[in-house]
Amino acid sequence: MTLGNLGHLLVILSFVTALVATYAYLRATLLSTDNLQVETWKRFARGTFYIHAASVIGVCVTLYAIIYGHHFEYHYAWSHSSRALPWYYMLSCFWEGQEGSFMLWMFWQAVLGVILIRTNKLWEAPMMTVYALVQAFLTSMILGVIIPGLDFKIGSTPFLTIAEANPGAPFLQLNPDFVPKDGNGLNPLLQNYWMVIHPPTLFLGFALTLVPFAYLMAGLWRKQVIEWLRPALPWTLLTGVVLGVGILMGGYWAYETLSFNSYWSWDPVENAVYVPWLVVIAALHTMIIAKKNATALKTSVILVIAQFILILYSTFLTRSGILGNASVHSFTDLGLSGQLLLYLFAFIIVAVVLSVRAWKLMPSDKEEVSSYSREFWLFMGATVLCLASFQVIIPTSIPVWNSIVESFGGVSRLAPPTDAITYYTKFQLWFFSVIAILSGIGQYFWWKRVQKGKMQELLTPLWISLFISALLITFGGINKLPYIALLTAGVFALVANTTIIIGVLRGSYRVSGGSVTHIGVALMLLGILWSSGYQKVVSLNASGLLISKEDYFTKEDNKENKENVLLWLGQPTRMGDYLLTYRGPRIEIRDVPEFVPNSWVDVIEGDFHAVCLRDITLGDKTYHKKGDTVSVYAENAHYEVEYREPNGRITTLYPRVQFNEKMGLVTSPDIKRELNKDLYSYVTIGGDPKKAEEWSPTENVRVAMQDTFFINDFVAVLESVGRTDKVEGIALTPNDVAVKAQIKILDKEREYFITPTFAINQDRMVMRKPEVNEDLGLRIQFMEIDPKTGTFSFAVNSKQRDYIVMKAVEKPLINVLWIGTLVLIIGFSMSTIRRFREFRLVRDKGVELEKV
């Protein structure tokens, strides 16, 4: 049995067992009056789901084995991987394609399903009925089965061979057994350690949204309209923290890898994940007060349904191809659009039917909630979060609306915002200013530090916040009203929540998770304010000359021509407070800890290996000898740029460029990190080190000793010609004669010396060793000596001097943002651990006596 056949078999097994587990759990739920039959069906369902989980893991292992084993006869391995990739980037190959990402989602849901079965027996049958049904739908996405007679395909399988994926292809008619020697490789933007851990985290967040949804559906189904809150609340918290961490990882990956100067671009695919997370957080706040407030309970039902449905909707947006013209991150359509819509609408219908059926059983509030109660302020916070999510999802969905209109024969002229960053930011800034204020006020009401007629406790953090904000506005040069509002709100949230924590710590630190989380949010807002609102381009073009006439450089009144600096190889250039020197292209040898000059190795074309042209020695350690074959990342070019500060301190950065056949020039930044700012640098134009050098036609010059002459606009002086005993690359014998010329080249700011050699061996054969100076783009060869006239002849070739065009941006106080994310995660984790501990104590004490 081939690996592909094994994978197909396991996919079918996982689909069938998900359906059987769904049916068995359904029977166990409907037979709730017969304990013996209930337990029998539960045991059967449990065992079936365990088989399902094992088969899902087997599917994942099989696909990774195909990728890791370089089985390029399979279309998925050929499309997404190559022999050049290390094992950890092969993990990224696993989920680069649609099928692999669905499998990652399935994997996490299978693992979580096993945990849920083993941790909550009371809710197992109704909750796992919903859970297993969702898993069956998800598993169907990779079935790749065509229904005979209907020509309808269910799912798209990753286990197709190249021949099966390309039936009738001309190259297969010539050679039916054709197997590529190598694959297309991984998208260069995904060749980053964050892409190894970000997608698994994000898809774990996707899988976790199902857990509170399944508990809610089970509660509504069994008419336990309040009881579902207790088991669902800790899982909702865990969903918030994991999905949030996944989003933040994506932001940090974008900051380190992409060259749009930021960590968030409001791309539709980013928005499609951000919106469900906002709704999760809103649901979390209403669930906390739902037992005491009927409005919050009903709102919680709506929001828990919405957060799961929005995950399905985001899946449709990113995988149906509908965002193809609106997002650079979306997948192409694999013919799964109809299946995704069926998945989406099926669970909308299930959720709506169960909610309508149970709505009349939900309690009603006897009186309006007082604005002096903590329930009011939590509800207000949830409302603003929902409004913020609506503001993002509606414009993001414009392509969907256009598609619907066009499907009915109409024409829609709506278009997504052209400047997404400006459009979304101007609204979200105000929403989060309000959220920051509410987070401070809400904590005071939550801990009953203020009550009706006793609001003076809030005055202290208010006056402190206004004083700090005034100082920051004055000395920080903040003069835009939206920024002033965000700064003041962020400082207030920071001061108010810190004050609460000081009081809470006198009791137990475990209950301070909410305040810690809100402090993290406040720090993030302040970090975003400074790092994005007050970033400064330092790579200003002081020459007054246009660097490029391409559209990218000339649009917006030559914006990029003004904000990029041209660096010639070896020539220091002033940039703000820094003196920059471009030192040349560098290559990465896999087992060498530092980049090395390209001239040290000769790359073997298409083999991801290189031959050492010299000993690879760094410091006191020699890693490879001359002539050794080494593994290299041949597709990546790193450009060494030296930053010299006024105090003499030198920092070296290596911004990366990949010359990719599919994507063209792909640039990634390198970052000079300081305590109060980052210097973010990336190459916008760079020469391809792998391209052959184009030398000018040979120019012959004849000069005498100490003559001054011109070489390609440089002034040159022949300083000396003398005998030498060594010529690099030529083995001299005692009877050979070799001489070396020393030619001084005068550049603008320094002198260079070029030393070509001329040798005659014992057989009177002439050997000429040319000397190349990359900084000047010159190659000089010592051609002959005329003893009668005392002159020397040289052959000179020139080429374009190596250069790069680079952009550098200072991002002040960006570390405040990263510190805030860490504090946010800590606070969320504290609250999650506390709620799980409370649930476990209640469960173990048998407080939940309701039979489910």
Side-chain angles (χ1 to χ4, degrees), residues 40 198 221 225 243 444 454 468 474 510 530 567 702 714 731 778 829 841:
T40 301
H198 160 60
W221 183 11
V225 295
L243 195 57
Y444 267 75
K454 297 180 180 180
I468 295 173
T474 303
R510 293 177 178 174
W530 260 288
L567 301 178
R702 183 177 291 275
F714 295 109
L778 293 177
S829 301
L841 290 173

Side-chain angles (χ1 to χ4, degrees), residues 170 251 267 316 328 364 376 428 520 583 701 769 775 777 803:
D267 182 271
F316 169 75
V328 297
S364 299
F376 173 83
Q428 293 293 302
R583 295 298 185 189
V701 296
K769 174 69 175 176
D775 288 10
Y803 72 95

Side-chain angles (χ1 to χ4, degrees), residues 389-674:
S389 68
F390 292 150
Q391 189 275 319
V392 175
I393 199 61
I394 292 173
T396 303
S397 300
I398 286 176
V400 178
W401 169 255
N402 291 343
S403 181
I404 294 171
V405 172
E406 290 168 8
S407 67
F408 286 97
V411 176
S412 175
R413 301 188 183 278
L414 292 176
T418 54
D419 186 355
I421 294 178
T422 301
Y423 175 80
Y424 288 107
T425 301
K426 70 181 179 182
F427 289 105
Q428 293 293 302
L429 184 149
W430 288 105
F431 280 123
F432 274 88
S433 295
V434 175
I435 289 169
I437 294 170
L438 291 175
S439 74
I441 296 174
Q443 282 293 299
Y444 267 75
F445 278 98
W446 180 260
W447 293 103
K448 297 184 178 179
R449 297 281 291 272
V450 292
Q451 297 175 16
K452 186 174 182 178
K454 297 180 180 180
M455 301 290 290
Q456 61 272 19
E457 283 282 345
L458 269 173
L459 293 178
T460 301
L462 176 62
W463 290 121
I464 293 174
S465 302
L466 291 175
F467 176 72
I468 295 173
S469 299
L471 292 177
L472 293 174
I473 291 167
T474 303
F475 295 103
I478 298 175
N479 50 22
K480 296 180 180 180
L481 179 60
Y483 293 172
I484 291 173
L486 183 62
L487 171 67
T488 306
V491 171
F492 174 74
L494 187 62
V495 172
N497 282 282
T498 301
T499 305
I500 289 294
I501 284 181
I502 293 172
V504 170
L505 288 179
R506 297 169 186 167
S508 173
Y509 72 91
R510 293 177 178 174
V511 296
S512 62
S515 294
V516 173
T517 303
H518 294 153
I519 287 174
V521 171
L523 290 172
M524 288 178 65
L525 293 176
L526 295 174
I528 291 169
L529 169 64
W530 260 288
S531 63
S532 293
Y534 290 93
Q535 63 181 8
K536 179 177 69 174
V537 176
V538 294
S539 55
L540 299 177
N541 180 8
S543 67
L545 302 175
L546 293 182
I547 292 174
S548 174
K549 294 183 180 179
E550 295 179 5
D551 290 342
Y552 173 75
F553 283 86
T554 56
K555 65 182 180 181
E556 299 181 41
D557 192 26
N558 282 301
K559 181 175 183 292
E560 296 302 323
N561 271 311
K562 296 174 182 177
E563 294 183 353
N564 280 264
V565 63
L566 174 65
L567 301 178
W568 295 100
L569 180 66
Q571 182 174 312
T573 302
R574 177 65 59 183
M575 188 187 78
D577 294 332
Y578 303 98
L579 189 65
L580 269 62
T581 307
Y582 167 46
R583 295 298 185 189
R586 300 292 182 257
I587 195 166
E588 186 177 2
I589 301 175
R590 295 195 185 185
D591 58 352
V592 175
E594 299 178 20
F595 301 110
V596 302
N598 284 43
S599 59
W600 288 17
V601 298
D602 183 17
V603 176
I604 303 171
E605 187 68 28
D607 189 47
F608 309 108
H609 289 82
V611 177
C612 297
L613 301 178
R614 51 164 287 172
D615 290 352
I616 307 297
T617 302
L618 299 173
D620 298 328
K621 184 175 180 179
T622 298
Y623 292 89
H624 296 283
K625 293 288 187 180
K626 181 179 179 180
D628 287 352
T629 300
V630 295
S631 298
V632 296
Y633 293 104
E635 68 272 30
N636 296 328
H638 298 266
Y639 297 98
E640 181 177 335
V641 180
E642 178 187 280
Y643 282 76
R644 183 182 292 271
E645 299 179 41
N647 60 9
R649 189 177 68 170
I650 294 175
T651 302
T652 303
L653 297 183
Y654 297 90
R656 187 190 79 174
V657 168
Q658 184 172 115
F659 298 89
N660 187 271
E661 292 182 3
K662 293 182 179 179
M663 304 176 64
L665 184 75
V666 180
T667 66
S668 294
D670 200 3
I671 303 169
K672 182 179 183 292
R673 304 180 190 278
E674 299 181 20

Side-chain angles (χ1 to χ4, degrees), residues 192-206:
N192 180 282
Y193 59 97
W194 285 110
M195 279 297 108
V196 178
I197 58 177
H198 160 60
T201 306
L202 196 63
F203 278 100
L204 174 57
F206 277 30

Side-chain angles (χ1 to χ4, degrees), residues 20-21 23-29 31 34-48 124-125:
V20 172
Y23 177 75
Y25 274 124
L26 177 63
R27 292 284 294 173
T29 306
L31 295 170
D34 189 332
N35 291 334
L36 182 60
Q37 286 196 43
V38 167
E39 288 305 316
T40 301
W41 279 106
K42 272 189 179 181
R43 282 195 299 270
F44 176 67
R46 201 174 294 144
T48 306
E124 180 185 353

Side-chain angles (χ1 to χ4, degrees), residues 670-688:
D670 200 3
I671 303 169
K672 182 179 183 292
R673 304 180 190 278
E674 299 181 20
L675 185 62
N676 63 334
K677 64 183 177 183
D678 278 1
L679 184 61
Y680 183 96
S681 308
Y682 60 96
V683 171
T684 51
I685 297 178
D688 187 349

Side-chain angles (χ1 to χ4, degrees), residues 72-149:
F72 296 122
E73 65 269 27
Y74 291 100
H75 188 264
Y76 197 90
W78 172 77
S79 298
H80 301 292
S81 70
S82 71
R83 296 183 184 276
L85 298 170
W87 70 267
Y88 43 89
Y89 285 160
M90 290 183 194
L91 286 172
S92 297
C93 297
F94 181 97
W95 45 72
E96 184 189 25
Q98 287 209 49
E99 299 92 341
S101 59
F102 276 123
M103 287 167 60
L104 183 60
W105 193 352
M106 286 165 46
F107 167 79
W108 282 126
Q109 286 197 171
V111 171
L112 290 171
V114 172
I115 294 171
L116 288 166
I117 289 171
R118 302 182 66 86
T119 55
N120 197 344
K121 302 295 185 184
L122 288 175
W123 285 84
E124 180 185 353
M127 185 267 297
M128 287 303 298
T129 303
V130 179
Y131 197 97
L133 180 61
V134 172
Q135 189 72 335
F137 268 91
L138 191 56
T139 308
S140 71
M141 303 305 295
I142 61 165
L143 266 179
V145 173
I146 298 176
I147 300 177

